[in-house]
Amino acid sequence: MVAFKQDWTVKIMERIRIEKLNRNSDISSIKSILEIFTKIHNDNFENKIGNKYFLNIFSDLQYEIYILKYIDSEKYEYISGYIIFYDTVEAVDIFEIAIDVNMQNEGLGKRILSESIELLFSEEKYRNRSEEEKKVMLEVREDNYNAVKLYEKTGFKQISLRKNYYGQNRHGKIMIKKIKLKKENQENR
């Protein structure tokens, strides 16, 4: 059973691509993406939203959006997750990250988190920031153990706790990761 799970995970990973969302897509593509994002969000989070939530994010250039695409055996691409960053100048915040519930527990959260941060900080706008500004921050519900574990595995450290942020006795952890760009990325750009 373990060998089958490992083989399955390898096959999925080979069919995954992380890329920046193309905001210049045609209207029907954007509408489809909004619906997919909304479904993924609503399947993952307690607070249910409509498409307008993501439409506002898509139209605000302070947000950077990356998608996780799964390519099936017929070469059809499915958006299976996303991560949204918010640029605050002194840091980049992870606004939201979610993976399709049918694709979870396969290492995709770690993959989109790691690869999108690398892609983001390879962009000129972010690459040229001072070392102090090259950091990613996030807030996560303290009892969201899977998410906390993911963030810790990818190098995030807790710096603060927001008491009762999510309601009575439901605290939010503030976490940070300082970004160290790979030398070859810096020299090749």
Side-chain angles (χ1 to χ4, degrees):
M1 181 72 169
V2 173
F4 175 77
K5 172 78 170 149
Q6 289 171 338
D7 289 345
W8 175 248
T9 299
V10 168
K11 286 179 181 168
I12 287 177
M13 288 301 192
E14 290 171 351
R15 295 175 178 266
I16 293 297
R17 188 172 69 234
I18 311 297
E19 62 186 51
K20 189 170 184 176
L21 178 73
N22 180 1
R23 284 187 160 112
N24 297 321
S25 298
D26 60 73
I27 297 296
S28 65
S29 294
I30 293 292
K31 184 178 179 198
S32 175
I33 293 168
L34 289 171
E35 290 170 359
I36 293 166
F37 272 42
T38 300
K39 178 171 181 0
I40 292 172
H41 172 96
N42 288 340
D43 288 348
N44 276 281
F45 298 103
E46 292 174 8
N47 65 321
K48 307 304 179 201
I49 51 98
N51 292 359
K52 189 174 181 184
Y53 172 84
F54 285 111
L55 182 60
N56 291 334
I57 290 170
F58 285 14
S59 61
D60 186 338
L61 297 180
Q62 289 293 108
Y63 292 96
E64 301 285 354
I65 305 164
Y66 290 82
I67 55 178
L68 182 145
K69 285 186 176 179
Y70 172 74
I71 301 121
D72 71 10
S73 58
E74 324 279 290
K75 306 294 183 214
Y76 185 79
E77 297 180 350
Y78 300 91
I79 294 176
S80 300
Y82 61 84
I83 185 167
I84 303 170
F85 297 97
Y86 185 77
D87 184 10
T88 64
V89 179
E90 55 279 334
V92 175
D93 290 354
I94 294 178
F95 181 76
E96 187 169 310
I97 180 174
I99 303 296
D100 183 316
V101 293
N102 298 310
M103 302 286 286
Q104 291 180 358
N105 301 312
E106 301 293 342
L108 301 178
K110 182 178 180 183
R111 178 134 176 221
I112 193 172
L113 183 60
S114 299
E115 287 185 30
S116 63
I117 289 172
E118 189 173 320
L119 289 168
L120 180 74
F121 281 93
S122 69
E123 292 183 27
E124 186 174 351
K125 175 181 177 182
Y126 299 96
R127 185 177 64 244
N128 295 329
R129 291 187 172 183
S130 72
E131 289 304 311
E132 181 59 30
E133 295 170 329
K134 288 182 182 164
K135 58 189 170 197
V136 178
M137 297 182 72
L138 62 88
E139 170 275 317
V140 61
R141 202 175 66 234
E142 180 182 48
D143 62 356
N144 187 344
Y145 303 113
N146 289 337
V148 170
K149 186 176 169 183
L150 167 67
Y151 298 135
E152 289 172 345
K153 277 200 278 189
T154 55
F156 284 85
K157 307 281 185 227
Q158 181 178 335
I159 59 168
S160 182
L161 186 69
R162 288 184 174 162
K163 297 277 188 180
N164 302 313
Y165 184 73
Y166 289 99
Q168 187 66 29
N169 296 319
R170 296 182 77 198
H171 312 308
K173 287 186 174 193
I174 308 299
M175 301 181 83
I176 189 168
K177 178 178 181 172
K178 294 188 179 183
I179 305 303
K180 303 251 188 280
L181 298 178
K182 294 178 182 173
K183 264 207 180 312
E184 62 271 8
N185 281 354
Q186 293 174 341
E187 292 169 2
N188 291 335
R189 305 212 187 269

